[in-house]
Amino acid sequence: GSFKLSYYNEYKSYLSMPSKKPESKRRKRSSKPEEEDSRSTTALEDKHLNAMRHIFESVQKGYTHQVKNIEKMWELQHKYNDMEKFFDDFWYCLQHACLVAAREPPTERVIQFACKFAIRADSPREALGEEEVSQTGPFAVRLFHTALQYTEANDKAVRFRLCQIINLMLTSLGADASIDEDLFNKIYTGMLERLKDKVPVVRVQAVNTLNRLQDPADPDCPIIQGYLNIMKSDGVGEVRRAAVKAIALNSKTILPVIERGRDVNPGVRKAVYEVLIDKVSIRSMRISHRMKLLQDGLKDRNEGVQHACKKLIQKWLLYHESDIIRLLKALDVEGKADICMDVVKETLSKLPMEKASDCLYNRMENNVVPPAELTPEVVFYWRALIEYSQVDYPNVYDRIMPTLTVFSSYLKDYVHMASQIPAEDYDAHYQASYIIVELIKIAKLADFSDEAGRKNLISINKHIITEAEITVQAVERLVELLGIAEPDEQTRIKSIAEVINDIRNPLEGSTQHNIESIESCEKNDPVTLIRCLTLVSGLVKGVKCDVAFDPTLSGLLDDIIMSGVISENEIVRHLAIKALGYSCILSKTLAKKYLVFFLQVVMVDNYTEILETTLKIIFDLLLVFGLETFSDDDMTKKESDDNKANVSDEDLLATKLESTTLERDQHEGEDNISKNAKESKPFEDQIVEKFKEFLDDEILRNVAAEGIAKLMYNNRLVDATLFSRMLLLWYNPTTEGDSLRHCLGMFFSTYGANDNMYFFLSLSPSLSLSPIWSWWYPLYYWSTSWRR
């Protein structure tokens, strides 16, 4: 890698500088004194030039003696009688390194040595060893101007090296250094042009050079705008990385820099976190920005990016004096609980457990936090610390986890306190609801070997569900908690059935009432149905028995679920369909009975969430039981008729279905013959046709594509035309930036490796639908006709 400057004496410089011509070894003897003086001067100059060459050659060997070489060059400079001559010789030696494009260590050492010396050339000898220089001398100014003169050279190596020289010289100047205004303008203009250079390494050096010339206070600063354009549109990751590290951070630039955390280049993503660690305080960012950084960094596939993100977390923790609860207050624990849990686990892995638990234990009384001091951050950290210490740190677990009896009463007291919050205080209600859910999660981590505490928890659980005004999420968590506290399945089913009966029939006094009084007191309002359906859904998710053959569950299905399916309230209808889907997953009999009903719901309902949920249920049923389970047309028709019989004549969905079907038949002009032919198709063909309709629907497209991919991947469905449509959907411009494209990409990469035949089968129909095929195929057919 090293080079000797003497080897380049005859080399034609790309810099268009006058080359040094070697003098003839034989010189004619002259008797004139003037010629003698001239020869002696020339010999002295050659001696100085050779000494300069030796210094440049010595610099290439390493950084060890660089300071000594700077001193030697400084001494050699003062031996020159003419400073113009010294600069010409210095530039002559330096320009040879400017012709080397490869970033080899010897060349890099020469460039760095030249820049350090140029900045210090006019300094006193005792200041040569200083790291930074506060003022530019005449020598440095002239080297700046000379380098700027050739930054538009044709040779890319020359442009790269000269931009590098300008950058290193500016970097060597101190923080309070100043340069001439004319020189500033020349560097400003020249380097802005180099930002558009076609060579990436030149653009990188231009970006680094302009770092100290940008003005963060100017919203229209051309340099900052150039950096933003590079980060957004430059095709080379190294250039984008340089722009991320160089740009000044303010309210305008912080978000574009954070967005580079999702750059395709891992070096750029890592640079984002490194810049934020060095330049930005946590208080300078919005909560949304912090959560976006954590979400991208902790889930990144590159270990270097993950490590940089973890270092950022440690910096934020130090800012909050190692108090994790204070750190959580700077994050969004209510909206991004999974990310905050990853942050807590990372911080706990770096802190001693005793110290990590002190910030919580100091707030406790009798192993519980006083209800008045509970905040979302405190209760979240309480749960996270219990989960983290439950297995590996029993001492810490016993320190912060009360007994089941104590915690049950504590939960009941907090729910009662939350019910006293004024209805106008929405923020307080929201926080209290979140805290209740977190407390229920903490209860699930308790020791259930305490029989008395377990029974007490079950009793309080039923009381809260029946009497307290809590959210749907809290009801779901309470059902899960009851499933842990009451492991016997039949006992749990009867308990929840009793709770549902108490909610719908809040009768007081005597337990004996006639049928008329019971029916008159039965509550069917949306709020009551929502709570009951939530209980049924949670119950069905936690059991393994066949719903169709369990009398209690079957009664809940007929009484609660089917009454919710026909409700005009969208939320009630959505929960009912979801509960019916859970029931069908557990029972093949119910799946056969209600599959056609789910297809009807997709056809007639107008509520987007209901459509997506119903379609997911259809795909889950086909995935669990297979298409062959539903292929008996007569049975399917019979089950559909039974379904309509179970739902009364007042069924709104059936009415809507009939009217929609009639309108569709009239609109399409289908006659009875084609209609009968369509009905005679096998079930597999009918379901494939439906899937094609779903893929063409903008609302259902994503759910349909994901469901079809699951069926194909698990060998539940094989159809080349569907595969072809999904292949075209993958390349459809409308799916750009959509999660669907990522889903299909994963599917094709895994499915195609095992079933390459379907790639081939789908190729022809895919190309036939493509606009390229329409003109290419006739040309191909004509050009190969002679073979036929």
Side-chain angles (χ1 to χ4, degrees):
S2 63
F3 60 88
K4 291 189 176 181
L5 297 175
S6 57
Y7 296 166
Y8 293 89
N9 284 345
E10 301 299 329
Y11 193 83
K12 183 178 180 181
S13 173
Y14 283 90
L15 295 171
S16 304
M17 292 291 292
S19 60
K20 299 284 184 180
K21 296 181 180 179
E23 296 184 0
S24 176
K25 292 182 180 180
R26 290 188 179 183
R27 293 173 180 165
K28 294 182 180 180
R29 181 175 295 180
S30 174
S31 59
K32 295 181 179 181
E34 294 83 0
E35 293 182 3
E36 291 291 340
D37 294 340
S38 177
R39 284 198 298 270
S40 63
T41 303
T42 303
L44 183 61
E45 291 175 352
D46 289 346
K47 180 181 179 181
H48 291 165
L49 180 58
N50 288 331
M52 187 177 292
R53 287 173 175 171
H54 286 304
I55 293 174
F56 271 93
E57 290 170 2
S58 174
V59 165
Q60 300 176 53
K61 298 177 182 178
Y63 291 105
T64 308
H65 304 293
Q66 194 173 82
V67 176
K68 291 184 178 180
N69 286 318
I70 290 176
E71 293 178 354
K72 289 180 181 179
M73 186 65 74
W74 187 87
E75 293 172 355
L76 181 62
Q77 174 189 7
H78 288 78
K79 292 179 182 180
Y80 272 79
N81 297 324
D82 185 3
M83 287 298 102
E84 294 288 334
K85 175 64 176 172
F86 174 76
F87 181 84
D88 291 342
D89 289 348
F90 186 88
W91 178 245
Y92 168 72
C93 294
L94 179 59
Q95 64 180 305
H96 294 93
C98 296
L99 301 173
V100 182
R103 304 202 67 170
E104 298 174 350
T107 312
E108 297 298 317
R109 295 184 193 120
V110 169
I111 296 295
Q112 292 182 17
F113 163 77
C115 295
K116 287 184 177 180
F117 172 76
I119 293 298
R120 295 164 176 79
D122 298 296
S123 300
R125 185 187 184 100
E126 57 271 13
L128 294 178
E130 294 180 358
E131 290 294 328
E132 295 181 345
V133 180
S134 59
Q135 192 65 35
T136 55
F139 186 90
V141 172
R142 183 170 180 185
L143 185 58
F144 269 124
H145 284 288
T146 306
L148 287 167
Q149 184 179 353
Y150 301 106
T151 52
E152 296 184 1
N154 293 330
D155 190 276
K156 61 182 180 181
V158 172
R159 298 198 305 275
F160 160 57
R161 291 299 180 183
L162 294 180
C163 289
Q164 184 185 24
I165 288 171
I166 298 171
N167 172 38
L168 291 175
M169 291 176 67
L170 285 176
T171 305
S172 299
L173 294 174
D176 299 327
S178 60
I179 58 176
D180 181 68
E181 184 177 357
D182 179 57
L183 177 59
F184 176 90
N185 291 332
K186 285 187 176 181
I187 297 175
Y188 190 91
T189 306
M191 292 301 102
L192 277 177
E193 279 297 315
R194 290 307 96 212
L195 287 179
K196 305 172 186 176
D197 198 282
K198 62 181 180 181
V199 181
V201 289
V202 178
R203 299 200 298 273
V204 169
Q205 293 301 323
V207 166
N208 295 334
T209 303
L210 290 169
N211 181 17
R212 299 187 65 176
L213 307 183
Q214 57 186 320
D215 183 8
D218 182 7
D220 300 321
C221 176
I223 297 177
I224 293 179
Q225 190 59 46
Y227 285 164
L228 293 174
N229 292 336
I230 287 174
M231 288 192 300
K232 183 178 180 180
S233 58
D234 198 288
V236 180
E238 189 61 29
V239 184
R240 298 196 302 274
R241 178 176 178 272
V244 166
K245 303 197 79 169
I247 193 169
L249 296 178
N250 54 29
S251 58
K252 178 183 177 182
T253 61
I254 184 68
L255 184 57
V257 170
I258 291 174
E259 288 176 347
R260 287 300 95 202
R262 299 182 67 88
D263 196 280
V264 295
N265 187 292
V268 179
R269 301 197 298 271
K270 184 179 178 181
V272 170
Y273 294 93
E274 293 173 345
V275 166
L276 295 175
I277 291 171
D278 295 336
K279 298 181 180 180
V280 183
S281 168
I282 186 173
R283 295 187 62 184
S284 302
M285 290 184 286
R286 298 178 180 177
I287 293 180
S288 59
H289 294 168
R290 301 168 195 164
M291 300 310 298
K292 182 176 178 61
L293 283 168
L294 295 173
Q295 181 176 8
D296 295 340
L298 293 175
K299 303 295 183 182
D300 200 286
R301 291 173 291 181
N302 185 275
E303 292 184 0
V305 179
Q306 289 184 18
H307 181 69
C309 182
K310 292 176 182 179
K311 288 180 66 176
L312 181 64
I313 294 173
Q314 295 304 317
K315 180 194 174 184
W316 290 354
L317 184 62
L318 288 175
Y319 178 85
H320 292 95
E321 300 176 349
S322 298
D323 190 329
I324 302 178
I325 294 178
R326 287 180 56 193
L327 174 60
L328 289 174
K329 290 181 179 179
L331 305 178
D332 183 13
V333 297
E334 299 169 61
K336 302 286 185 179
D338 54 341
I339 302 173
C340 293
M341 183 61 72
D342 293 337
V343 172
V344 171
K345 290 179 180 179
E346 172 59 26
T347 53
L348 290 176
S349 65
K350 297 293 190 298
L351 290 175
M353 281 302 297
E354 295 294 331
K355 182 179 180 181
S357 61
D358 281 344
C359 62
L360 177 67
Y361 188 74
N362 293 336
R363 292 176 166 89
M364 286 184 161
E365 297 177 3
N366 299 324
N367 284 25
V368 294
V369 180
E373 297 183 14
L374 272 182
T375 64
E377 295 78 21
V378 171
V379 71
F380 179 86
Y381 183 60
W382 191 3
R383 175 173 69 88
L385 192 58
I386 291 174
E387 288 182 358
Y388 191 85
S389 63
Q390 190 172 18
V391 177
D392 298 327
Y393 302 94
N395 294 334
V396 176
Y397 175 81
D398 295 338
R399 189 183 183 193
I400 60 177
M401 185 68 214
T403 62
L404 198 55
T405 302
V406 172
F407 194 81
S408 300
S409 301
Y410 176 79
L411 175 61
K412 180 181 178 181
D413 293 342
Y414 186 83
V415 171
H416 177 71
M417 188 186 76
S419 64
Q420 306 300 319
I421 298 175
E424 304 83 30
D425 196 346
Y426 297 107
D427 292 339
H429 268 290
Y430 181 79
Q431 285 195 359
S433 301
Y434 177 84
I435 291 172
I436 290 172
V437 172
E438 289 296 314
L439 290 176
I440 297 171
K441 292 179 181 178
I442 292 175
K444 293 166 64 177
L445 302 172
D447 182 10
F448 286 89
S449 61
D450 180 8
E451 185 66 22
R454 187 178 65 84
K455 292 181 178 179
N456 188 30
L457 178 64
I458 294 174
S459 175
I460 291 176
N461 194 334
K462 293 180 181 178
H463 173 76
I464 294 174
I465 294 175
T466 308
E467 303 295 337
E469 295 182 2
I470 54 177
T471 61
V472 173
Q473 291 79 10
V475 174
E476 292 176 350
R477 297 299 179 182
L478 286 171
V479 174
E480 295 175 3
L481 178 59
L482 187 60
I484 299 174
E486 185 58 79
D488 183 70
E489 195 171 273
Q490 289 300 319
T491 305
R492 187 166 69 251
I493 291 173
K494 292 180 180 178
S495 298
I496 294 182
E498 291 174 359
V499 171
I500 293 174
N501 184 64
D502 292 340
I503 293 173
R504 297 194 70 189
N505 302 288
L507 300 178
E508 298 180 358
S510 176
T511 57
Q512 296 180 355
H513 299 274
N514 54 37
I515 298 176
E516 290 78 8
S517 63
I518 294 177
E519 291 180 351
S520 62
C521 294
E522 188 174 81
K523 297 172 65 176
N524 287 310
D525 59 284
V527 175
T528 302
L529 287 176
I530 287 173
R531 179 166 295 198
C532 293
L533 287 169
T534 304
L535 289 170
V536 173
S537 296
L539 174 62
V540 174
K541 283 194 294 184
V543 299
K544 297 180 181 180
C545 61
D546 193 322
V547 177
F549 298 104
D550 187 280
T552 306
L553 291 177
S554 181
L556 292 175
L557 173 66
D558 295 336
D559 186 29
I560 305 296
I561 297 178
M562 298 314 300
S563 62
V565 165
I566 63 174
S567 173
E568 295 184 358
N569 186 283
E570 292 86 356
I571 300 177
V572 173
R573 199 161 66 249
H574 185 206
L575 288 173
I577 290 174
K578 189 183 293 186
L580 182 59
Y582 291 142
S583 303
C584 292
I585 291 293
L586 294 174
S587 173
K588 183 185 290 188
T589 304
L590 293 179
K592 290 180 181 180
K593 183 175 182 179
Y594 290 108
L595 178 67
V596 176
F597 168 74
F598 288 129
L599 290 171
Q600 293 173 354
V601 172
V602 177
M603 292 170 58
V604 302
D605 210 296
N606 297 321
Y607 193 55
T608 303
E609 291 188 13
I610 293 179
L611 295 177
E612 292 179 350
T613 300
T614 308
L615 192 56
K616 289 178 182 178
I617 292 172
I618 293 171
F619 283 117
D620 287 343
L621 294 178
L622 296 177
L623 186 63
V624 172
F625 299 111
L627 272 71
E628 63 277 2
T629 303
F630 310 95
S631 61
D632 188 350
D633 294 338
D634 296 334
M635 179 204 58
T636 305
K637 183 176 180 181
K638 180 179 180 299
E639 298 293 347
S640 177
D641 293 340
D642 292 342
N643 184 22
K644 292 180 181 179
N646 289 333
V647 183
S648 64
D649 295 335
E650 298 175 356
D651 188 347
L652 297 176
L653 289 176
T655 305
K656 291 181 181 178
L657 175 64
E658 293 175 2
S659 60
T660 305
T661 306
L662 289 174
E663 292 176 1
R664 187 175 300 168
D665 292 343
Q666 293 174 2
H667 178 70
E668 296 177 356
E670 293 181 349
D671 53 17
N672 293 331
I673 298 176
S674 62
K675 197 172 180 181
N676 293 332
K678 183 176 180 180
E679 291 177 353
S680 64
K681 288 183 179 180
F683 174 78
E684 290 81 357
D685 294 343
Q686 294 182 35
I687 203 71
V688 167
E689 293 297 323
K690 287 294 180 185
F691 288 167
K692 291 178 182 178
E693 295 178 10
F694 298 153
L695 288 176
D696 294 335
D697 192 316
E698 293 184 1
I699 298 176
L700 302 176
R701 180 180 61 191
N702 289 16
V703 177
E706 183 177 349
I708 294 170
K710 289 180 179 178
L711 293 176
M712 287 187 171
Y713 183 78
N714 291 278
N715 297 322
R716 291 296 195 181
L717 177 65
V718 176
D719 188 84
T721 58
L722 273 179
F723 193 94
S724 172
R725 283 177 176 264
M726 293 175 65
L727 192 63
L728 291 174
L729 196 60
W730 189 26
Y731 287 100
N732 195 323
T734 59
T735 62
E736 183 70 32
D738 197 344
S739 59
L740 174 62
R741 180 164 291 191
H742 175 71
C743 172
L744 292 177
M746 294 295 294
F747 165 68
F748 287 128
S749 62
T750 54
Y751 181 77
N754 300 325
D755 298 273
N756 293 322
M757 176 182 66
Y758 294 107
F759 277 99
F760 176 77
L761 292 175
S762 63
L763 182 63
S764 177
S766 298
L767 290 176
S768 65
L769 296 173
S770 173
I772 300 177
W773 180 265
S774 61
W775 63 264
W776 182 83
Y777 181 75
L779 181 63
Y780 169 79
Y781 185 85
W782 174 80
S783 63
T784 57
S785 59
W786 61 273
R787 298 180 183 177
R788 296 187 292 273

PDB file of all heavy atoms in Angstrom, residues 744-761:
ATOM      1  N   LEU A 744     -47.504 -11.468   1.835  1.00  0.00           N
ATOM      2  CA  LEU A 744     -47.398 -12.289   0.620  1.00  0.00           C
ATOM      3  C   LEU A 744     -45.955 -12.647   0.316  1.00  0.00           C
ATOM      4  O   LEU A 744     -45.669 -13.749  -0.165  1.00  0.00           O
ATOM      5  CB  LEU A 744     -48.021 -11.534  -0.561  1.00  0.00           C
ATOM      6  CG  LEU A 744     -49.542 -11.335  -0.497  1.00  0.00           C
ATOM      7  CD1 LEU A 744     -50.019 -10.520  -1.690  1.00  0.00           C
ATOM      8  CD2 LEU A 744     -50.265 -12.673  -0.455  1.00  0.00           C
ATOM      9  N   GLY A 745     -45.039 -11.732   0.583  1.00  0.00           N
ATOM     10  CA  GLY A 745     -43.622 -12.025   0.352  1.00  0.00           C
ATOM     11  C   GLY A 745     -43.150 -13.199   1.203  1.00  0.00           C
ATOM     12  O   GLY A 745     -42.434 -14.085   0.730  1.00  0.00           O
ATOM     13  N   MET A 746     -43.544 -13.206   2.473  1.00  0.00           N
ATOM     14  CA  MET A 746     -43.189 -14.325   3.344  1.00  0.00           C
ATOM     15  C   MET A 746     -43.841 -15.622   2.872  1.00  0.00           C
ATOM     16  O   MET A 746     -43.222 -16.695   2.907  1.00  0.00           O
ATOM     17  CB  MET A 746     -43.618 -14.005   4.778  1.00  0.00           C
ATOM     18  CG  MET A 746     -42.873 -12.846   5.421  1.00  0.00           C
ATOM     19  SD  MET A 746     -41.123 -13.203   5.658  1.00  0.00           S
ATOM     20  CE  MET A 746     -41.213 -14.528   6.857  1.00  0.00           C
ATOM     21  N   PHE A 747     -45.073 -15.532   2.413  1.00  0.00           N
ATOM     22  CA  PHE A 747     -45.779 -16.729   1.953  1.00  0.00           C
ATOM     23  C   PHE A 747     -45.116 -17.326   0.720  1.00  0.00           C
ATOM     24  O   PHE A 747     -44.839 -18.532   0.668  1.00  0.00           O
ATOM     25  CB  PHE A 747     -47.240 -16.383   1.655  1.00  0.00           C
ATOM     26  CG  PHE A 747     -47.955 -17.430   0.847  1.00  0.00           C
ATOM     27  CD1 PHE A 747     -48.230 -18.675   1.389  1.00  0.00           C
ATOM     28  CD2 PHE A 747     -48.347 -17.170  -0.463  1.00  0.00           C
ATOM     29  CE1 PHE A 747     -48.890 -19.649   0.646  1.00  0.00           C
ATOM     30  CE2 PHE A 747     -48.997 -18.133  -1.209  1.00  0.00           C
ATOM     31  CZ  PHE A 747     -49.273 -19.374  -0.658  1.00  0.00           C
ATOM     32  N   PHE A 748     -44.839 -16.503  -0.283  1.00  0.00           N
ATOM     33  CA  PHE A 748     -44.252 -17.012  -1.526  1.00  0.00           C
ATOM     34  C   PHE A 748     -42.852 -17.586  -1.292  1.00  0.00           C
ATOM     35  O   PHE A 748     -42.470 -18.575  -1.916  1.00  0.00           O
ATOM     36  CB  PHE A 748     -44.200 -15.911  -2.581  1.00  0.00           C
ATOM     37  CG  PHE A 748     -45.543 -15.556  -3.155  1.00  0.00           C
ATOM     38  CD1 PHE A 748     -45.983 -14.246  -3.189  1.00  0.00           C
ATOM     39  CD2 PHE A 748     -46.383 -16.538  -3.648  1.00  0.00           C
ATOM     40  CE1 PHE A 748     -47.230 -13.922  -3.707  1.00  0.00           C
ATOM     41  CE2 PHE A 748     -47.637 -16.227  -4.169  1.00  0.00           C
ATOM     42  CZ  PHE A 748     -48.049 -14.916  -4.191  1.00  0.00           C
ATOM     43  N   SER A 749     -42.095 -16.960  -0.404  1.00  0.00           N
ATOM     44  CA  SER A 749     -40.736 -17.444  -0.172  1.00  0.00           C
ATOM     45  C   SER A 749     -40.722 -18.803   0.510  1.00  0.00           C
ATOM     46  O   SER A 749     -39.811 -19.602   0.275  1.00  0.00           O
ATOM     47  CB  SER A 749     -39.957 -16.432   0.670  1.00  0.00           C
ATOM     48  OG  SER A 749     -40.569 -16.275   1.939  1.00  0.00           O
ATOM     49  N   THR A 750     -41.714 -19.100   1.352  1.00  0.00           N
ATOM     50  CA  THR A 750     -41.750 -20.383   2.051  1.00  0.00           C
ATOM     51  C   THR A 750     -42.560 -21.423   1.286  1.00  0.00           C
ATOM     52  O   THR A 750     -42.147 -22.573   1.177  1.00  0.00           O
ATOM     53  CB  THR A 750     -42.359 -20.199   3.449  1.00  0.00           C
ATOM     54  OG1 THR A 750     -43.636 -19.555   3.342  1.00  0.00           O
ATOM     55  CG2 THR A 750     -41.451 -19.343   4.309  1.00  0.00           C
ATOM     56  N   TYR A 751     -43.688 -21.019   0.731  1.00  0.00           N
ATOM     57  CA  TYR A 751     -44.551 -21.971   0.024  1.00  0.00           C
ATOM     58  C   TYR A 751     -43.922 -22.410  -1.287  1.00  0.00           C
ATOM     59  O   TYR A 751     -43.985 -23.586  -1.663  1.00  0.00           O
ATOM     60  CB  TYR A 751     -45.910 -21.326  -0.232  1.00  0.00           C
ATOM     61  CG  TYR A 751     -46.904 -22.222  -0.940  1.00  0.00           C
ATOM     62  CD1 TYR A 751     -47.558 -23.235  -0.247  1.00  0.00           C
ATOM     63  CD2 TYR A 751     -47.198 -22.054  -2.289  1.00  0.00           C
ATOM     64  CE1 TYR A 751     -48.480 -24.057  -0.878  1.00  0.00           C
ATOM     65  CE2 TYR A 751     -48.118 -22.866  -2.930  1.00  0.00           C
ATOM     66  CZ  TYR A 751     -48.752 -23.866  -2.224  1.00  0.00           C
ATOM     67  OH  TYR A 751     -49.662 -24.670  -2.849  1.00  0.00           O
ATOM     68  N   GLY A 752     -43.293 -21.474  -1.993  1.00  0.00           N
ATOM     69  CA  GLY A 752     -42.713 -21.809  -3.290  1.00  0.00           C
ATOM     70  C   GLY A 752     -41.565 -22.771  -3.195  1.00  0.00           C
ATOM     71  O   GLY A 752     -41.295 -23.542  -4.125  1.00  0.00           O
ATOM     72  N   ALA A 753     -40.864 -22.775  -2.075  1.00  0.00           N
ATOM     73  CA  ALA A 753     -39.729 -23.683  -1.931  1.00  0.00           C
ATOM     74  C   ALA A 753     -40.182 -25.135  -1.853  1.00  0.00           C
ATOM     75  O   ALA A 753     -39.442 -26.048  -2.220  1.00  0.00           O
ATOM     76  CB  ALA A 753     -38.936 -23.321  -0.677  1.00  0.00           C
ATOM     77  N   ASN A 754     -41.413 -25.359  -1.394  1.00  0.00           N
ATOM     78  CA  ASN A 754     -41.918 -26.727  -1.250  1.00  0.00           C
ATOM     79  C   ASN A 754     -42.831 -27.144  -2.389  1.00  0.00           C
ATOM     80  O   ASN A 754     -42.917 -28.321  -2.707  1.00  0.00           O
ATOM     81  CB  ASN A 754     -42.684 -26.847   0.080  1.00  0.00           C
ATOM     82  CG  ASN A 754     -41.812 -26.530   1.272  1.00  0.00           C
ATOM     83  OD1 ASN A 754     -40.630 -26.828   1.266  1.00  0.00           O
ATOM     84  ND2 ASN A 754     -42.406 -25.911   2.286  1.00  0.00           N
ATOM     85  N   ASP A 755     -43.514 -26.199  -2.980  1.00  0.00           N
ATOM     86  CA  ASP A 755     -44.490 -26.509  -4.028  1.00  0.00           C
ATOM     87  C   ASP A 755     -44.208 -25.664  -5.259  1.00  0.00           C
ATOM     88  O   ASP A 755     -44.987 -24.789  -5.616  1.00  0.00           O
ATOM     89  CB  ASP A 755     -45.918 -26.258  -3.527  1.00  0.00           C
ATOM     90  CG  ASP A 755     -46.269 -27.144  -2.354  1.00  0.00           C
ATOM     91  OD1 ASP A 755     -46.730 -28.266  -2.581  1.00  0.00           O
ATOM     92  OD2 ASP A 755     -46.060 -26.701  -1.220  1.00  0.00           O
ATOM     93  N   ASN A 756     -43.087 -25.948  -5.902  1.00  0.00           N
ATOM     94  CA  ASN A 756     -42.707 -25.153  -7.065  1.00  0.00           C
ATOM     95  C   ASN A 756     -43.652 -25.363  -8.239  1.00  0.00           C
ATOM     96  O   ASN A 756     -43.722 -24.536  -9.136  1.00  0.00           O
ATOM     97  CB  ASN A 756     -41.278 -25.507  -7.492  1.00  0.00           C
ATOM     98  CG  ASN A 756     -40.260 -25.071  -6.461  1.00  0.00           C
ATOM     99  OD1 ASN A 756     -40.416 -24.022  -5.863  1.00  0.00           O
ATOM    100  ND2 ASN A 756     -39.245 -25.886  -6.242  1.00  0.00           N
ATOM    101  N   MET A 757     -44.388 -26.483  -8.255  1.00  0.00           N
ATOM    102  CA  MET A 757     -45.288 -26.767  -9.359  1.00  0.00           C
ATOM    103  C   MET A 757     -46.345 -25.683  -9.498  1.00  0.00           C
ATOM    104  O   MET A 757     -46.727 -25.306 -10.596  1.00  0.00           O
ATOM    105  CB  MET A 757     -45.948 -28.122  -9.125  1.00  0.00           C
ATOM    106  CG  MET A 757     -46.991 -28.503 -10.181  1.00  0.00           C
ATOM    107  SD  MET A 757     -47.756 -30.082  -9.821  1.00  0.00           S
ATOM    108  CE  MET A 757     -48.631 -29.697  -8.315  1.00  0.00           C
ATOM    109  N   TYR A 758     -46.811 -25.132  -8.363  1.00  0.00           N
ATOM    110  CA  TYR A 758     -47.888 -24.147  -8.430  1.00  0.00           C
ATOM    111  C   TYR A 758     -47.377 -22.798  -8.915  1.00  0.00           C
ATOM    112  O   TYR A 758     -48.137 -22.000  -9.423  1.00  0.00           O
ATOM    113  CB  TYR A 758     -48.574 -24.042  -7.077  1.00  0.00           C
ATOM    114  CG  TYR A 758     -49.277 -25.328  -6.746  1.00  0.00           C
ATOM    115  CD1 TYR A 758     -48.758 -26.180  -5.771  1.00  0.00           C
ATOM    116  CD2 TYR A 758     -50.406 -25.730  -7.444  1.00  0.00           C
ATOM    117  CE1 TYR A 758     -49.376 -27.380  -5.490  1.00  0.00           C
ATOM    118  CE2 TYR A 758     -51.020 -26.926  -7.166  1.00  0.00           C
ATOM    119  CZ  TYR A 758     -50.509 -27.752  -6.191  1.00  0.00           C
ATOM    120  OH  TYR A 758     -51.112 -28.936  -5.917  1.00  0.00           O
ATOM    121  N   PHE A 759     -46.081 -22.562  -8.772  1.00  0.00           N
ATOM    122  CA  PHE A 759     -45.518 -21.375  -9.396  1.00  0.00           C
ATOM    123  C   PHE A 759     -45.642 -21.492 -10.905  1.00  0.00           C
ATOM    124  O   PHE A 759     -45.998 -20.550 -11.600  1.00  0.00           O
ATOM    125  CB  PHE A 759     -44.039 -21.219  -9.003  1.00  0.00           C
ATOM    126  CG  PHE A 759     -43.845 -20.554  -7.679  1.00  0.00           C
ATOM    127  CD1 PHE A 759     -43.604 -21.308  -6.552  1.00  0.00           C
ATOM    128  CD2 PHE A 759     -43.911 -19.185  -7.551  1.00  0.00           C
ATOM    129  CE1 PHE A 759     -43.426 -20.702  -5.334  1.00  0.00           C
ATOM    130  CE2 PHE A 759     -43.735 -18.566  -6.334  1.00  0.00           C
ATOM    131  CZ  PHE A 759     -43.493 -19.336  -5.227  1.00  0.00           C
ATOM    132  N   PHE A 760     -45.327 -22.678 -11.420  1.00  0.00           N
ATOM    133  CA  PHE A 760     -45.407 -22.879 -12.865  1.00  0.00           C
ATOM    134  C   PHE A 760     -46.848 -22.823 -13.350  1.00  0.00           C
ATOM    135  O   PHE A 760     -47.153 -22.212 -14.375  1.00  0.00           O
ATOM    136  CB  PHE A 760     -44.777 -24.232 -13.215  1.00  0.00           C
ATOM    137  CG  PHE A 760     -44.894 -24.590 -14.669  1.00  0.00           C
ATOM    138  CD1 PHE A 760     -44.067 -23.999 -15.610  1.00  0.00           C
ATOM    139  CD2 PHE A 760     -45.840 -25.504 -15.093  1.00  0.00           C
ATOM    140  CE1 PHE A 760     -44.187 -24.320 -16.952  1.00  0.00           C
ATOM    141  CE2 PHE A 760     -45.967 -25.826 -16.432  1.00  0.00           C
ATOM    142  CZ  PHE A 760     -45.130 -25.240 -17.372  1.00  0.00           C
ATOM    143  N   LEU A 761     -47.766 -23.457 -12.600  1.00  0.00           N
ATOM    144  CA  LEU A 761     -49.163 -23.462 -13.018  1.00  0.00           C
ATOM    145  C   LEU A 761     -49.768 -22.070 -13.011  1.00  0.00           C
ATOM    146  O   LEU A 761     -50.651 -21.759 -13.806  1.00  0.00           O
ATOM    147  CB  LEU A 761     -49.975 -24.382 -12.104  1.00  0.00           C
ATOM    148  CG  LEU A 761     -49.675 -25.886 -12.211  1.00  0.00           C
ATOM    149  CD1 LEU A 761     -50.471 -26.649 -11.164  1.00  0.00           C
ATOM    150  CD2 LEU A 761     -49.996 -26.413 -13.606  1.00  0.00           C
TER     151      LEU A 761
END
